[in-house]
Amino acid sequence: MPIKTQRDLPALGILENENIFVMDENRALHQDIRPLKVCILNLMPVKQDTELQLLRALSNTPLQIDVSFLNVSTHISQNTSANHLNKFYTAFDEIKEDRFDGMIITGAPVEQMAFEEVDYWEELCKIMEWTKKNVTSTLHICWGAQAGMYYHYGIEKILLDKKLFGVYPFHVLNRKVPLVRGFDDVFLAPNSRHTTILTEDIKKCPELKILAESEEIGVYLAIAEEGRQIFVMGHPEYDRMTLDNEYKRDIGKGLDIEIPKNYYPGDDPEERPLLQWRAHSNNLYSNWLNYYVYQVTPYDL
């Protein structure tokens, strides 16, 4: 799929080297097609890494995607330069009158805080409320999924005894739902979090349908309102080395962190990690775009 975004976004050069079709604004204007408008609310600390991961994940259908990056204005980023944010990101006040085919709300490193203690929580609530009428389908990732379930359905997260960290197997529960079409019975996905939402609490909510879960760590994928709200508890967009970088960063800080599970061959951190989840990640994002964004969105927003 052609990914359309600003021409000088740093991630584009990497994507082009991977033979992923990237289109700038000038070329897109010469195509007689309405691209899908997708807004990414990027709450991750190193925003360039997440930009690359998500653009790569969105690049596997014939659809043309016009991507906009959104940043909260009530938080000052410590890990991404103001120059990058000013150049490639927009504020909610600048888009709140617009409509989007799809939206992605990423994870964030604030999960050990109560939602109301997060400095941008009020702004995030306004954005999540706005998505109900202005976005065809919203995909929530990791902490973004926990925040979405709390805001929309009042489901509390719980703090885990230790960090849930590694690559875990999940079972598909309902093959009739298009979001998991083409998935294997059991698939792998990365997780990196200190909190979770209990399976029994999700099951108590009649609006939510669980699509994939693990006996070991619980729900991975859930859907509501026929796909208008989708929740992914892990990080399917992660690169091969993301968990490795997180592990070695925490070791360098002197933190008590276990080796990520099912990640390094022989549990040896000196070995190159196996990339075991990319196919299902691509399938998930392609299914989301096809069945919940493209096929149900109106031509004229």
Side-chain angles (χ1 to χ4, degrees):
M1 152 200 349
I3 297 289
K4 174 181 173 288
T5 188
Q6 289 172 259
R7 182 179 182 84
D8 47 356
L9 185 74
L12 298 194
I14 300 173
L15 295 172
E16 287 173 341
N17 286 335
E18 296 176 6
N19 291 322
I20 292 174
F21 185 11
V22 180
M23 180 182 298
D24 63 30
E25 302 98 320
N26 292 331
R27 182 169 180 181
L29 289 173
H30 292 85
Q31 292 201 337
D32 188 18
I33 185 174
R34 185 180 83 76
L36 296 178
K37 292 180 62 179
V38 173
C39 181
I40 298 176
L41 174 57
N42 189 355
L43 303 173
M44 293 292 278
V46 184
K47 301 193 184 303
Q48 294 95 326
D49 289 350
T50 304
E51 292 161 11
L52 175 61
Q53 292 165 7
L54 288 175
L55 290 176
R56 183 187 287 124
L58 294 171
S59 68
N60 290 285
T61 79
L63 304 169
Q64 184 186 129
I65 309 298
D66 185 355
V67 176
S68 302
F69 289 102
L70 180 65
N71 187 40
V72 288
S73 58
T74 43
H75 175 77
I76 298 175
S77 177
Q78 304 296 319
N79 298 281
T80 302
S81 71
N83 180 61
H84 184 86
L85 294 174
N86 292 335
K87 190 171 186 178
F88 300 112
Y89 282 72
T90 188
F92 177 58
D93 283 345
E94 298 175 44
I95 65 159
K96 64 184 180 181
E97 302 302 324
D98 296 341
R99 293 180 181 272
F100 289 85
D101 302 294
M103 184 167 191
I104 297 173
I105 299 176
T106 73
V110 294
E111 53 190 309
Q112 292 174 286
M113 301 170 62
F115 290 117
E116 290 82 3
E117 293 177 359
V118 176
D119 56 5
Y120 52 81
W121 177 248
E122 184 176 340
E123 183 178 4
L124 178 58
C125 289
K126 290 180 181 178
I127 293 171
M128 290 190 289
E129 183 64 27
W130 168 85
T131 65
K132 293 180 180 180
K133 294 182 179 179
N134 291 274
V135 180
T136 302
S137 178
T138 302
L139 182 70
H140 309 71
I141 303 171
C142 200
W143 181 84
Q146 296 180 4
M149 284 193 176
Y150 179 68
Y151 177 76
H152 291 293
Y153 308 109
I155 302 175
E156 295 275 3
K157 63 179 179 176
I158 64 166
L159 186 64
L160 297 168
D161 294 334
K162 61 180 180 179
K163 186 176 183 179
L164 195 159
F165 191 40
V167 180
Y168 295 86
F170 297 94
H171 295 261
V172 174
L173 300 183
N174 191 333
R175 291 198 162 279
K176 293 183 179 180
V177 179
L179 190 63
V180 292
R181 189 164 291 169
F183 276 43
D184 295 332
D185 289 340
V186 179
F187 65 96
L188 298 170
N191 283 256
S192 176
R193 49 193 166 94
H194 293 273
T195 55
T196 193
I197 292 180
L198 297 178
T199 301
E200 52 264 37
D201 290 339
I202 296 177
K203 287 182 176 178
K204 291 176 185 175
C205 180
E207 294 92 343
L208 287 164
K209 179 184 293 185
I210 299 172
L211 300 183
E213 66 178 352
S214 161
E215 293 180 2
E216 182 178 2
I217 66 169
V219 173
Y220 173 72
L221 189 59
I223 191 170
E225 300 177 45
E226 298 183 342
R228 288 189 62 85
Q229 305 289 345
I230 294 172
F231 305 92
V232 184
M233 296 300 174
H235 281 285
E237 77 284 357
Y238 268 8
D239 289 335
R240 178 195 303 272
M241 303 305 293
T242 307
L243 293 180
D244 176 74
N245 293 335
E246 289 185 12
Y247 174 66
K248 291 174 179 174
R249 175 201 65 196
D250 290 350
I251 289 291
K253 292 180 178 179
L255 299 178
D256 182 18
I257 181 72
E258 294 183 1
I259 292 173
K261 194 168 184 178
N262 305 321
Y263 183 56
Y264 297 113
D267 284 338
D268 182 355
E270 299 305 314
E271 292 288 331
R272 189 169 190 252
L274 296 176
L275 182 57
Q276 308 172 81
W277 59 89
R278 176 64 58 79
H280 279 85
S281 173
N282 290 342
N283 205 355
L284 173 66
Y285 282 97
S286 295
N287 285 348
W288 173 60
L289 286 171
N290 184 25
Y291 297 114
Y292 299 95
V293 180
Y294 171 68
Q295 293 199 21
V296 297
T297 194
Y299 181 82
D300 185 356
L301 281 174

